[in-house]
Amino acid sequence: HPEKHTELLTADPAQLRRVRARAVRLAKAENKRNLQPLLCSFNLEAFGLMFVEPGMGPADALLALWLQGARDLSRRLTADPAEVSDPIKCEDPSAAVERLESAGGLLNRALEGERIGDESLVRSALSRLWPDFVAERPNEMTKARTIAATRAQQTVRVGAAGVLTGGAGTALKAPRSFGSSQARG
């Protein structure tokens, strides 16, 4: 019942809706790191509806989605939030539970690092969750940063230490797959 699911996900209060949407997007990004994602998007949305509560921030909401989702999935297939169809299918629930617990453990470690002010602990944990977006070291380039720099027409160079912006190294050509704002002659 797509209309009912949309109604549930977009219901007020607005703050809960925004936090839930962020948590679900992050969970989907981590889930899609597998060539064959272990959970369908609908399952993650259902976890968001079930476990994200008013007053949670995005990190706590994501942690609840992963850890409580793992606990729930270890006992049963996820119920349809609209209560109109059978439980949500999952090919390998035990592998999905393991993945959810692992992601929750890494996020827990990052949150602990934040509480004690240890940036290296935070980066280490988050770079394992989202390696394309979070670098393990502060000045290290990630895939997403490299793409953003080339789209912004900044000089991106490749050197012995990896990819960096500016400085010494071999300059990479900025992609022009969507054309250029410069006139062509």
Side-chain angles (χ1 to χ4, degrees):
H1 197 290
E3 293 86 11
K4 181 64 175 175
H5 296 140
T6 300
E7 180 183 315
L8 291 169
L9 285 166
T10 59
D12 285 329
Q15 179 63 24
L16 173 61
R17 181 177 63 241
R18 283 190 294 273
V19 169
R20 181 187 297 127
R22 288 181 183 130
V24 168
R25 273 194 304 273
L26 289 169
K28 286 179 180 182
E30 197 285 328
N31 186 54
K32 288 181 182 178
R33 287 186 47 229
N34 277 338
L35 291 176
Q36 292 290 332
L38 295 171
L39 295 167
C40 68
S41 294
F42 181 43
N43 209 316
L44 295 168
E45 291 168 359
F47 288 159
L49 285 165
M50 294 166 65
F51 305 120
V52 176
E53 298 175 359
M56 287 181 165
D60 290 329
L62 182 58
L63 189 61
L65 187 153
W66 279 334
L67 295 181
Q68 292 179 42
R71 205 170 305 126
D72 189 69
L73 190 58
S74 70
R75 294 189 317 262
R76 65 183 181 139
L77 292 178
T78 308
D80 172 15
E83 300 176 343
V84 294
S85 65
D86 292 336
I88 303 166
K89 294 178 184 172
C90 180
E91 259 187 64
D92 190 348
S94 62
V97 166
E98 187 176 313
R99 182 73 181 236
L100 290 166
E101 289 174 340
S102 174
L106 288 168
L107 182 55
N108 239 342
R109 189 174 336 159
L111 291 171
E112 179 58 28
E114 185 177 54
R115 277 190 281 281
I116 63 174
D118 186 344
E119 181 183 1
S120 64
L121 182 60
V122 173
R123 285 184 168 281
S124 173
L126 293 181
S127 69
R128 289 181 58 204
L129 278 172
W130 299 292
D132 290 346
F133 302 100
V134 180
E136 194 160 349
R137 289 173 285 290
N139 296 320
E140 194 172 65
M141 291 292 283
T142 62
K143 182 179 177 181
R145 273 188 167 174
T146 303
I147 291 168
T150 57
R151 286 185 178 156
Q153 301 294 321
Q154 294 178 1
T155 302
V156 176
R157 299 179 180 275
V158 177
V163 178
L164 48 118
T165 55
T170 305
L172 298 176
K173 184 178 176 183
R176 299 193 187 269
S177 55
F178 295 105
S180 169
S181 59
Q182 299 173 334
R184 295 183 188 178

